[in-house]
Amino acid sequence: MARDMSDIDILKMELQQLQKEVKNEREPVSKTAKELVDWVEANSAEDILLKGVPEDKNPFKEKGGCIIT
Amino acid sequence: MLRGSSAVAIDNERNKHPSDVIAAASAARARRSGRVGLATASRSTSDPHPAEMATHELHPNDTLTTLKMESENLKAKLEEERAKLHDVELHQVAEKIEALGQFVMKTRRTLKGHGNKVLCMDWCKDKRRIVSSSQDGKVIVWDAFTTNKEHAVTMPCTWVMACAYAPSGCAVACGGLDNKCSVYPLSLDKNENLAAKKKSVAMHTNYLSACSFTNSDMQILTSSGDGTCALWDVESGQLLQSFHGHGADVLCLDLAPSETGNTFVSGGCDKKANVWDMRSGQCIQSFETHESDINSVRYYPSGDAFASGSDDATCRLYDLRADREVAIYSKESIIFGASSVDFSLSGRLLFGGYNDYTINVWDVLKGNRVSILFGHENRVSTLRVSPDGTAFCSGSWDHTLRVSEEEGI
């Protein structure tokens, strides 16, 4: 547990972790950012908070009164 | 605000918690693991270091300074490797897509009933029920459509900082200053005393900051002020895996969307966001670009990135395959910490609840703010988008929860 470890122990843990991470495989941002954008575009149509929902299909619509015509 | 990669200063500060309880067993374990030598440390980087020691056998004079320098060098090397692939900015790639207009968000329901600060909430998979927990020690299950309270449990402690709905909708988990995570099966019988069926699952040596069921009711993932995360079997209470790597309190966690495999991300007071392999317990990636505590982390819906909210008043996006921060969501006018973040269904919008009582909505791809929602009369402490993405719920220190949407078309 982090609280029970001395500063030195925490640093050593950090060092071991950094050694591992330096070797991780990475892809260029130009490729991965494009994939993020593509994913959003593919799913935007179903995103109700983005597109809005007609009042009659809205489960949270205002609890209504009556309209007298 | 800082943009792009930057040299990261070593920060050895740990938050001390007044109710710190040290378990003798775990302290002994930490001392034993400290004896794993650093014999290979000096060979991992190709650049010569001025004050480098040839070997790192455990030596009484093997000081904090040497280790710090080693760590600093490695971090610089890691940033170098990451920078090599930083060939473009996210908002540049997003230039070709249509900008969003300004949104108007409207509160549709206000849930009143807690006697003190709301600290956490979660949606049920049925998209209408919500569980919330409060400083007043109560955990309440609401029907968000009708605003009716369906269940209420009084916990034996105050500051119930974490709560979660089980995937089946048949139970809730919660905990806080009691250092535990307990599971309460929800009864259809309104007269039944829920507390009688309570099951204690997780035991930490400090406060429980967050909890989440995995993709079944059978396992729970927890994070704690004791600096660790842990995976538990609900039925037996057995510890299945523990996750060590944070240097201070862990404040939040989020599980990767089930299609993308067994990982989760955690954020802590050490300003780090760590991505973990649930099976091995190993930390796969670590990000340290925030300037203060990370209060909230949330995966991008595709699982390839995650967002964070911090006391440094920014939210950030980290791309897992590029292994770097790719966006910062901030404004000079926003100076209070972000306590809670969540994405809309497509990942285009990022909702952030802040300590200045507002909710800011960001265009994730282009980086600008598209909406601001007022209404809470105190800090926003928790925020989640509903499972079908029709609405979002925010909880606040003003004792209420609010369900809000984009004002109709």
Side-chain angles (χ1 to χ4, degrees):
Chain A
M1 314 276 171
R3 283 176 180 286
D4 317 325
M5 294 169 75
S6 68
D7 288 351
I8 283 206
D9 286 341
I10 289 195
L11 260 180
K12 285 187 182 153
M13 182 167 77
E14 202 177 71
L15 269 173
Q16 283 184 329
Q17 182 59 30
L18 282 167
Q19 282 153 29
K20 261 194 283 167
E21 283 183 40
V22 164
K23 302 189 192 124
N24 276 347
E25 274 182 29
R26 299 172 185 89
E27 294 173 23
V29 177
S30 50
K31 172 170 183 273
T32 62
K34 181 170 186 311
E35 287 173 21
L36 286 178
V37 172
D38 289 346
W39 206 92
V40 167
E41 299 220 271
N43 290 280
S44 283
E46 287 100 52
D47 189 343
I48 295 174
L49 282 166
L50 197 58
K51 304 288 183 190
V53 61
E55 201 66 5
D56 55 350
K57 295 211 177 68
N58 183 358
F60 287 107
K61 67 171 185 269
E62 300 295 326
K63 295 190 267 198
C66 311
I67 300 172
I68 300 170
T69 53
Chain B
M1 288 285 160
L2 289 174
R3 287 204 157 263
S5 69
S6 53
V8 177
I10 301 292
D11 186 350
N12 226 12
E13 226 173 42
R14 277 176 290 152
N15 290 318
K16 305 286 182 202
H17 194 277
S19 63
D20 201 345
V21 173
I22 297 176
S26 55
R29 225 180 299 133
R31 282 192 289 273
R32 277 198 295 277
S33 70
R35 263 180 246 129
V36 172
L38 285 171
T40 55
S42 57
R43 276 173 254 137
S44 63
T45 60
S46 49
D47 303 313
H49 314 137
E52 183 184 348
M53 307 264 276
T55 59
H56 283 268
E57 300 127 14
L58 204 64
H59 190 273
N61 294 335
D62 201 1
T63 57
L64 225 47
T65 329
T66 332
L67 289 176
K68 276 191 190 183
M69 196 168 311
E70 189 73 49
S71 187
E72 216 156 332
N73 286 328
L74 267 178
K75 284 190 187 185
K77 173 83 180 173
L78 182 56
E79 280 316 300
E80 219 181 276
E81 293 298 317
R82 284 171 163 165
K84 284 179 192 169
L85 294 163
H86 187 200
D87 49 356
V88 76
E89 297 289 348
L90 173 61
H91 63 83
Q92 289 172 304
V93 173
E95 253 161 25
K96 60 182 171 82
I97 59 173
E98 225 179 285
L100 299 170
Q102 285 293 303
F103 283 68
V104 178
M105 297 288 172
K106 195 169 176 199
T107 295
R108 297 288 191 185
R109 299 283 188 278
T110 302
L111 306 178
K112 296 187 183 177
H114 277 297
N116 212 318
K117 308 179 175 71
V118 176
L119 301 174
C120 188
M121 58 82 38
D122 191 19
W123 286 89
C124 177
K125 282 212 159 89
D126 72 0
K127 312 159 226 174
R128 73 184 278 171
R129 283 175 181 78
I130 286 174
V131 62
S132 62
S133 64
S134 163
Q135 185 193 346
D136 68 0
K138 289 223 175 32
V139 173
I140 299 178
V141 174
W142 314 76
D143 177 338
F145 290 177
T146 63
T147 74
N148 289 339
K149 298 178 202 39
E150 298 201 336
H151 302 274
V153 176
T154 305
M155 293 282 285
C157 65
T158 57
W159 288 91
V160 189
M161 301 170 201
C163 63
Y165 230 115
S168 67
C170 299
V172 293
C174 53
L177 280 188
D178 58 352
N179 298 359
K180 294 192 219 170
C181 184
S182 308
V183 174
Y184 292 83
L186 294 175
S187 169
L188 289 169
D189 178 356
K190 302 278 165 111
N191 294 323
E192 189 168 358
N193 180 8
L194 288 186
K197 292 243 171 88
K198 164 180 164 176
K199 206 183 302 189
S200 270
V201 175
M203 280 286 294
H204 278 280
T205 55
N206 215 304
Y207 64 90
L208 187 82
S209 53
C211 61
S212 176
F213 285 85
T214 60
N215 53 14
S216 82
D217 284 21
M218 306 279 72
Q219 291 180 356
I220 284 191
L221 193 58
T222 58
S223 64
S224 168
D226 66 16
T228 71
C229 300
L231 181 66
W232 310 82
D233 177 270
V234 172
E235 196 53 51
S236 63
Q238 196 193 349
L239 174 67
L240 298 171
Q241 185 63 261
S242 68
F243 305 88
H244 298 256
H246 279 287
D249 306 27
V250 187
L251 298 179
C252 51
L253 60 83
D254 190 38
L255 274 136
S258 40
E259 310 79 53
T260 57
N262 284 336
T263 61
F264 73 96
V265 59
S266 64
C269 291
D270 57 357
K271 312 176 199 171
K272 287 202 192 138
N274 290 342
V275 180
W276 307 87
D277 179 319
M278 273 172 65
R279 275 179 280 226
S280 67
Q282 294 299 305
C283 174
I284 309 170
Q285 286 166 281
S286 184
F287 303 90
E288 196 178 346
T289 61
H290 271 294
E291 295 166 23
S292 187
D293 300 4
I294 297 179
N295 299 312
S296 176
V297 285
R298 193 73 68 212
Y299 268 92
Y300 195 73
S302 71
D304 293 328
F306 69 91
S308 58
S310 163
D311 274 352
D312 68 8
T314 72
C315 298
R316 299 181 193 226
L317 186 71
Y318 298 89
D319 185 321
L320 290 169
R321 285 163 317 153
D323 188 35
R324 62 172 302 111
E325 173 196 291
V326 290
I328 304 182
Y329 308 101
S330 66
K331 272 178 108 64
E332 270 185 34
S333 53
I334 300 176
I335 56 172
F336 284 82
S339 63
S340 192
V341 296
D342 202 358
F343 287 100
S344 69
L345 214 66
S346 67
R348 183 69 193 267
L349 300 175
L350 180 69
F351 294 85
Y354 288 73
N355 292 340
D356 64 1
Y357 314 177
T358 68
I359 294 168
N360 290 302
V361 188
W362 303 90
D363 179 334
V364 169
L365 303 179
K366 293 189 181 278
N368 58 303
R369 181 173 63 184
V370 296
S371 189
I372 178 168
L373 181 62
F374 300 95
H376 277 298
E377 294 166 17
N378 207 317
R379 289 192 187 194
V380 179
S381 52
T382 179
L383 186 155
R384 295 295 293 256
V385 170
S386 70
D388 61 353
T390 50
F392 61 95
C393 179
S394 54
S396 165
W397 281 18
D398 70 6
H399 309 188
T400 70
L401 293 121
R402 286 163 181 254
V403 181
S404 309
E405 298 178 312
E406 202 223 330
E407 197 158 46
I409 41 171

